[in-house]
Amino acid sequence: TTGGGDIHKSDGNTDPEFPADGASALRDWSPHLVFVDGGNTFWLHRCLTGDGGGPAGGTWSAALAAACSGPEGAAYVGVSAGAIVAGARADTATWKRWDDPRVVPGREEYA
């Protein structure tokens, strides 16, 4: 995917049923597994929730929660930042200042 939650279509892909974004893919494809890789925890949180706004702010955390809930829900596997954003707090990312919150405009400090 790209930074804003859009799914990257390979060159020449003209499939009209290819989802436009991550939320659509989670809803339409009914995945068995959702794998969220690492990176900067603050940026990933912004991409999932839209916190901080702007063009890269996503809004697919509700779609992710829905895809991973219920008896037919997908298994969620998170690595590094992907695991941290699945938790209630981001203290792990700030413990040793692993991630820099300044990548998200308006978030210049650890909170």
Side-chain angles (χ1 to χ4, degrees), residues 1-81:
T1 65
T2 62
D6 295 333
I7 294 179
H8 175 72
K9 289 185 179 183
S10 60
D11 292 338
N13 184 341
T14 58
D15 184 352
E17 294 187 24
F18 195 88
D21 56 39
S24 297
L26 289 168
R27 183 187 63 244
D28 299 344
W29 287 351
S30 300
H32 297 285
L33 176 79
V34 174
F35 178 84
V36 180
D37 207 351
N40 184 290
T41 303
F42 300 102
W43 187 257
L44 179 57
H45 181 265
R46 179 182 183 209
C47 290
L48 289 172
T49 65
D51 182 33
T59 56
W60 46 298
S61 58
L64 181 60
C68 297
S69 301
E72 300 295 320
Y76 180 93
V77 177
V79 175
S80 192

